[in-house]
Amino acid sequence: QVQLVQSGAEVKNPGASVKVSCKASGYTFTSHWIHWVRQAPGQGLEWMGVINANDGTVIYAQKFQGRVTLTRDVSTSTLYMELSSLRSEDTAVYYCARDHSNSNCWWFDPWGQGTLVSVSS
Amino acid sequence: SSELAQDPAVSVALGQTVRITCQGDSLRTYYASWYQQKPGQSPALVIYDKNIRPSGIPDRFSGSSSGNTASLTITGAQAADEADYYCNSRDTGGNSWVFGGGTRLTVL
């Protein structure tokens, strides 16, 4: 079955960077884009960006431009989200999710299990 | 960029019908997708496109759209449906995606 398995929880100091991984299985890795979404404690979902697993093309949310980097490793079917200059407000659960689309709709399915990133001094 | 507006909270009596709405300019162009999130779990897709349910989603869940409003309807709500629900759409600018703020559904 299609699965996205993410790396474990991270604790970081303010100003540091974090790199979260998302390993895909059960489908042709290069045939789907992958989105990254985060959720701060008690808050809603926030879209961060998307990467084309085939050619590495990325689209970032304006809010995260310059601070987030999405990459992928085709040889291991793994996607990565790196967020730099961390601050306390970046404390959140980070999710990867597989993209699907037609001409009129985009949907995310499945989602990874989430990775908690805690930023604290 | 566009935004998607959802009511923060909605309640429904067990077995009754509830509609959760999502408003935004992008919904005049694109259909919304809907996600259910229970505490401590990842979001799960429940409706996408005009009104398509992924495998395993009960048929009491349905979707509709009119103008700038998308709706998720649960007909005969069950206790298991108590969760947060989020809508999502591509931005009409084309280079981003946006989630609604979420609706917490309580089944009484």
Side-chain angles (χ1 to χ4, degrees):
Chain A
Q1 75 282 24
V2 176
Q3 272 194 303
L4 299 174
V5 178
Q6 299 182 222
S7 49
E10 303 263 12
V11 179
K12 295 292 182 180
N13 290 325
S17 297
V18 67
K19 193 169 187 177
V20 177
S21 68
C22 169
K23 183 169 178 61
S25 62
Y27 71 97
T28 302
F29 177 74
T30 53
S31 63
H32 286 269
W33 294 60
I34 295 290
H35 295 264
W36 288 86
V37 176
R38 77 176 186 179
Q39 185 172 37
Q43 303 300 308
L45 302 174
E46 182 174 32
W47 183 80
M48 299 180 68
V50 63
I51 182 168
N52 183 337
N54 184 41
D55 64 10
T57 299
V58 293
I59 302 173
Y60 298 128
Q62 192 170 5
K63 173 177 179 176
F64 299 101
Q65 285 273 5
R67 248 190 357 124
V68 69
T69 304
L70 302 184
T71 56
R72 94 279 188 230
D73 183 340
V74 177
S75 68
T76 60
S77 299
T78 303
L79 301 304
Y80 299 94
M81 186 284 299
E82 184 169 22
L83 188 63
S84 62
S85 302
L86 290 170
R87 36 208 187 230
S88 59
E89 310 90 90
D90 294 317
T91 294
V93 176
Y94 291 76
Y95 296 100
C96 58
R98 191 175 72 160
D99 173 89
H100 302 258
S101 66
N102 57 29
S103 58
N104 295 313
C105 187
W106 281 258
W107 59 100
F108 306 165
D109 183 56
W111 294 59
Q113 84 275 21
T115 297
L116 175 61
V117 175
S118 300
V119 182
S120 173
S121 54
Chain B
S1 65
S2 67
E3 296 181 349
L4 296 177
Q6 297 183 241
D7 292 327
V10 171
S11 62
V12 61
L14 184 68
Q16 296 304 300
T17 296
V18 63
R19 176 173 292 181
I20 298 170
T21 60
C22 173
Q23 287 189 301
D25 287 342
S26 63
L27 301 179
R28 297 184 185 278
T29 304
Y30 303 122
Y31 290 107
S33 54
W34 290 92
Y35 304 87
Q36 177 192 69
Q37 187 180 34
K38 297 182 179 181
Q41 296 184 14
S42 302
L45 178 69
V46 292
I47 289 287
Y48 64 97
D49 206 349
K50 291 181 185 177
N51 180 18
I52 300 177
R53 282 176 289 106
S55 173
I57 300 301
D59 60 5
R60 63 179 179 271
F61 288 88
S62 63
S64 61
S65 184
S66 178
N68 73 336
T69 302
S71 300
L72 174 70
T73 300
I74 306 173
T75 303
Q78 303 300 305
D81 301 333
E82 192 162 280
D84 294 329
Y85 291 86
Y86 295 92
C87 59
N88 177 270
S89 169
R90 187 160 186 173
D91 190 339
T92 45
N95 274 346
S96 66
W97 281 257
V98 61
F99 286 93
T103 297
R104 177 151 295 176
L105 176 66
T106 300
V107 180
L108 304 172

